[in-house]
Structure formats: structure tokens, C-alpha cells
Amino acid sequence: MMSDQLRMLLILCLTFAQGACMFPNHWGEWNDSQLQPTIQKLMKGYNRYLRPNFNEGPVEIGMSLDIASIDAISEINMDYTATIFLRQRWRDSRLVFPGNESVSLDGRLVSLLWIPDTFIPDSKRSFLHDVTVENRLIRIFSNGTVLYALRITATIACNMDLTKYPMDRQVCTLQLESWGYNLQDVVFYWTRGNDSVKGLDTLRLAQYSVESYYTSVSEAVYETGQYPKLVLHFALRRNVLFFILETYVPSVLLVVLSWVSFWISQSSVPARTCIGVTTVLTMTTLMMGARTSLPNANCFIKAIDVYLGICFTFIFGALLEYACAHFYTMQHQTIEDLHRDLLRELNESNGNGSIPIVSSTQPNQSVEIGSTAEDITEQSVNSDAKKHSGSKEKTPGQGCGLSSVKDASRRAASIFVVENPHNIDCHARTVFPTAFLFVNILYWLYYLFL
């Protein structure tokens, strides 16, 4: 019973197939019974190893591109990954058939036809999509024109100049060349000029925006000969907003945080030291994080490295400022303590306020303590001056060389003497922000407009 049902089903299928061959195709004047012998006739005697117009001149191959996506742009490897639809057109007089219709063939029949040996010279890795079948299209027109389209994902090299990173503008290329056929065999051309490339206008990237693009036709010269080459040039402008929020704003805030120590008392050593060390370490971590997405070894200094270096210099300068202010404060306090101790000893030495002070060099001279400390200081200075002049008179042979060196050393030392160390913080509150603002203006003018 079951075998009878299968036999009836097979008879119905054969009857339907024969009926389909008898009815005409309403979409064209060629039905299946006529079309199948035509394809067989075209393939009969066809040699796919010989190019069209063999010994009659080069084959003209027109190309067009659809950029489906640019998946990743890597500064470390200096390449980008793109998925493209590559379409090639050429005319093969051996495939001419009567009528005005076109025939779309299965992509697996590409092995029966001659196709160009087009390749991407800058490609590092590439593959042809094969889900659910190989993404190929073969269409033959009645005048012998062949349309061959395929979908490719390729990782292509792009030489980048990262000097102005992240305000940089990169120009990448997509090159198409013939592997084995030279200019005497094939000629490449863009089918519609710059309009041959579609998809770049509507492309949306994470860190870049497509600024412009254009096409060109050139020749690739190798040792084996000259080969046709088509080049697509496209410029990518990096979006700097991400880096402003990720790197520039935190670094500026760290610089401002280091300035807070200028308003803290110099006696608060732990507070000011903690702010200085914390900002320096945080800035170092930020600089290390900014370099993780970039090549470790390169021959140029990037704009972001310059800015982070500027911020680190100002933060480290704020830490050194407190060190200098604290040093001069302690020095000034030491001088005041010595003067205070001297006055206390003078007041406690004698009730009537006079005590003989004998000089080590002139034992016959004495000073009464009834005078003030300023008088004592004046007298000691005058005595030093007399001794200095006396030494000059005694040693005229030494000349003015030693005295000039001493005077120069005294003048140099007087430059580093600060009368009021608390003024260092007052001046730093104005000098540091002004200098940082000035450096920022120069930085952004140079990297954005020059």
C-alpha cells in the first residue's frame, strides 16, 4: 500500500515537471526548455584558462565598491578591518547569446568561467563570506558582459601619523591590483568615477568620522612588469570629545587639585605633602593608561603625551614649591629664634643692662649691653668691616681676585634669600594658573590650527 502511494506521488511530480516545460515563461521569451540548451551551448568549447580578447588587446574591467562597514581601526597594528562588496564587469565575446535578457547563475559556477585575478596588495588577512553559501554573484548579459560580485572582509594596512593624536587626521587607502595579468592583458577603471564607491557617506564609526574620499587610477610597477591599479583614498578625522572627557579633563582637574596646597598653611606638613604626592601618583597612572591603546615603540611624540607631560610638570612643580617654601620658612624661623635667644640672654645677664663683650681679635675693645640689639649688630658689622679692610691692607699682594669672588658669592647668595617665605605661596597662586592658561592656549592653537 505504501509503495503504491510513493509510485503515484512520483508520477505526479514527473507530470508537473513536463507541464512546466510546455508553458512559456511570462518573464521573458526564453523558457526553461530553451534556456538550458543555450547555457550548454555557451559553455561548449569555452576555455576558462584563456582571457577574453586573447591576442586582440587588453580586457577592460570596470569596478565599483560598496563599503558595508569598517569594523575596527587599530593604531597599534596600524590597520583597519572593512567589509566590502566588490563588483567587477567585463565583456567576454564568447558568452554572447540572442535576446535582451540576462542570466543569473549559481555562484558555484564561477569555476566554469574566466574571472580576473584581482587582489588587495595591502591586505593582511581576508576571507570570503560563505553563509549559507559563498557570497558570489555571476550574471551574464546577452551582449557578453559579465557581472561578478563578491562579499569580502579584509584587514588592510594603513600607515598612520600619530603626531597629533588624538587631534589627528588619517588618510587610508584601499588598493585593487591584478596579480598575474599586466597592462597588456587587462585594464582597470572605475565604472562611475568617485560615484563608484558607496557607503562611506552613511558610515558611522566609534572614534572617527569620514571627512572625504576620492578615487584614482594608477599603475603598480614591479620587477615582473607593470600592472593596473585602482586606489580608493578616504580621510578619517578622529573624534576628540571622547579623549577630552577621558584624559584631558581629569588631567586638568589634577593640576587644579595640586594648586589647593597653596591655600593651606605651611605648618600643615602632612596635608600639603599628601596632596602633592597623591596628585603626582594619580597623574602617573593616567599617563600610563593613555599609552595602553597606542604603539609602545614609535618614533614620534604624540599630542596627548605632550599635554600629559605639561600637566605632570605643573603638578610636580607645585610639590617642589612647597618644599622650597618650607625650607625658607624653617631658615627664617631659625634666624628669628637666634635673635630672640640673644635678646633674652642680654636681658638676663645683668640687671643694670651692661656686660662687657670681649672680641677674640681685639681684646681691648668692649661693648656695653645697655645699648639695643641693633646697636650691637651695627658694632659687630663695623668691626667685621674694619677687619676686612685691615686684611685688605695687610695682603695687597693677593689683589682683588679673592675679594671679587667673595663679593660675587655674597650677591649670588642674596638672590636666594627670601625675607618673607609666606609670600612664596601668594605668588604661586597667581603664577601657576597664569602659566598653565598660557601654555594651554599655545597647545590648542598649535595642534588644532597648525
Side-chain angles (χ1 to χ4, degrees):
M1 187 59 132
M2 199 67 173
S3 61
D4 294 338
Q5 292 180 354
L6 293 174
R7 189 181 297 108
M8 290 297 297
L9 182 60
L10 182 59
I11 293 173
L12 289 175
C13 291
L14 292 175
T15 305
F16 177 76
Q18 293 176 358
C21 293
M22 295 300 296
F23 289 100
N25 186 1
H26 295 286
W27 300 103
E29 59 185 26
W30 295 88
N31 55 29
D32 293 341
S33 62
Q34 295 171 317
L35 187 59
Q36 184 177 358
T38 302
I39 297 176
Q40 293 178 354
K41 183 179 178 181
L42 291 175
M43 294 295 102
K44 185 178 180 180
Y46 185 89
N47 189 353
R48 66 187 181 93
Y49 299 107
L50 294 178
R51 65 173 179 85
N53 301 335
F54 189 72
N55 292 332
E56 294 182 3
V59 182
E60 295 183 355
I61 302 174
M63 296 191 183
S64 61
L65 290 173
D66 274 2
I67 309 296
S69 65
I70 296 180
D71 304 324
I73 301 175
S74 175
E75 291 84 9
I76 298 178
N77 301 321
M78 288 196 178
D79 56 26
Y80 66 94
T81 303
T83 300
I84 61 175
F85 293 90
L86 175 61
R87 298 184 180 91
Q88 306 177 77
R89 293 174 181 266
W90 68 93
R91 189 175 183 277
D92 193 344
S93 59
R94 296 172 293 180
L95 300 177
V96 176
F97 62 90
N100 296 322
E101 296 297 325
S102 61
V103 179
S104 295
L105 305 180
D106 191 286
R108 288 168 287 190
L109 295 178
V110 70
S111 59
L112 302 177
L113 300 175
W114 178 89
I115 58 173
D117 56 351
T118 307
F119 78 107
I120 303 173
D122 293 335
S123 176
K124 298 181 179 179
R125 297 173 299 274
S126 61
F127 64 91
L128 179 67
H129 292 262
D130 54 359
V131 178
T132 57
V133 294
E134 288 187 351
N135 295 172
R136 297 186 180 187
L137 181 146
I138 290 289
R139 184 172 297 165
I140 303 176
F141 295 86
S142 58
N143 62 350
T145 301
V146 181
L147 172 62
Y148 177 46
L150 63 163
R151 181 169 170 241
I152 306 172
T153 296
T155 301
I156 305 170
C158 177
N159 294 326
M160 299 182 182
D161 183 10
L162 300 176
T163 305
K164 291 188 176 182
Y165 177 91
M167 284 84 71
D168 56 333
R169 177 181 178 271
Q170 305 298 338
V171 178
C172 298
T173 60
L174 174 59
Q175 304 180 23
L176 300 172
E177 295 182 10
S178 176
W179 174 257
Y181 295 104
N182 54 25
L183 289 174
Q184 285 72 32
D185 297 321
V186 295
V187 175
F188 287 173
Y189 68 94
W190 295 104
T191 55
R192 296 180 301 275
N194 291 338
D195 295 333
S196 302
V197 179
K198 301 293 183 182
L200 285 177
D201 296 332
T202 59
L203 203 60
R204 294 293 180 268
L205 303 176
Q207 292 187 12
Y208 291 88
S209 58
V210 181
E211 193 175 42
S212 61
Y213 66 92
Y214 66 94
T215 58
S216 64
V217 180
S218 61
E219 299 177 0
V221 180
Y222 298 100
E223 186 179 356
T224 56
Q226 297 180 346
Y227 298 87
K229 180 169 71 172
L230 299 180
V231 185
L232 166 64
H233 309 261
F234 58 96
L236 299 174
R237 172 72 67 178
R238 194 185 302 271
N239 300 324
V240 73
L241 180 61
F242 169 78
F243 297 92
I244 290 177
L245 299 177
E246 186 75 12
T247 304
Y248 284 94
V249 171
S251 59
V252 171
L253 293 179
L254 285 175
V255 174
V256 175
L257 179 61
S258 67
W259 297 341
V260 175
S261 62
F262 300 154
W263 279 267
I264 299 178
S265 174
Q266 293 184 2
S267 60
S268 302
V269 178
R272 297 193 64 164
T273 305
C274 180
I275 291 178
V277 174
T278 302
T279 51
V280 168
L281 295 178
T282 307
M283 193 67 204
T284 304
T285 305
L286 189 64
M287 294 172 67
M288 294 176 61
R291 295 192 181 99
T292 54
S293 60
L294 294 175
N296 294 328
N298 46 39
C299 58
F300 40 76
I301 300 176
K302 298 171 288 296
I304 194 170
D305 294 336
V306 174
Y307 194 81
L308 293 176
I310 292 172
C311 294
F312 185 83
T313 302
F314 275 90
I315 291 175
F316 191 74
L319 182 61
L320 293 181
E321 183 272 343
Y322 173 64
C324 296
H326 184 70
F327 172 77
Y328 286 117
T329 300
M330 297 300 296
Q331 188 181 35
H332 187 72
Q333 289 179 354
T334 302
I335 296 174
E336 289 182 351
D337 292 341
L338 291 175
H339 189 264
R340 191 179 301 108
D341 293 340
L342 179 61
L343 291 178
R344 186 175 61 253
E345 290 178 359
L346 292 176
N347 293 329
E348 293 177 355
S349 61
N350 195 353
N352 56 8
S354 64
I355 183 172
I357 297 179
V358 180
S359 175
S360 60
T361 57
Q362 297 178 357
N364 296 327
Q365 294 182 357
S366 63
V367 180
E368 293 187 357
I369 303 302
S371 60
T372 60
E374 287 79 1
D375 297 335
I376 297 174
T377 305
E378 273 186 44
Q379 294 176 7
S380 62
V381 170
N382 293 332
S383 62
D384 291 339
K386 290 178 181 179
K387 288 187 292 182
H388 183 65
S389 62
S391 62
K392 280 185 180 180
E393 294 174 357
K394 292 179 181 179
T395 59
Q398 295 180 356
C400 61
L402 183 60
S403 61
S404 62
V405 171
K406 291 182 178 180
D407 293 339
S409 62
R410 290 193 187 94
R411 287 194 297 268
S414 63
I415 297 175
F416 299 98
V417 174
V418 180
E419 296 182 358
N420 189 1
H422 295 282
N423 291 334
I424 297 177
D425 285 341
C426 297
H427 293 308
R429 296 169 190 173
T430 305
V431 173
F432 273 76
T434 304
F436 188 69
L437 179 62
F438 178 72
V439 171
N440 269 269
I441 293 174
L442 294 180
Y443 174 86
W444 291 106
L445 286 177
Y446 177 78
Y447 284 105
L448 288 179
F449 301 104
L450 297 180

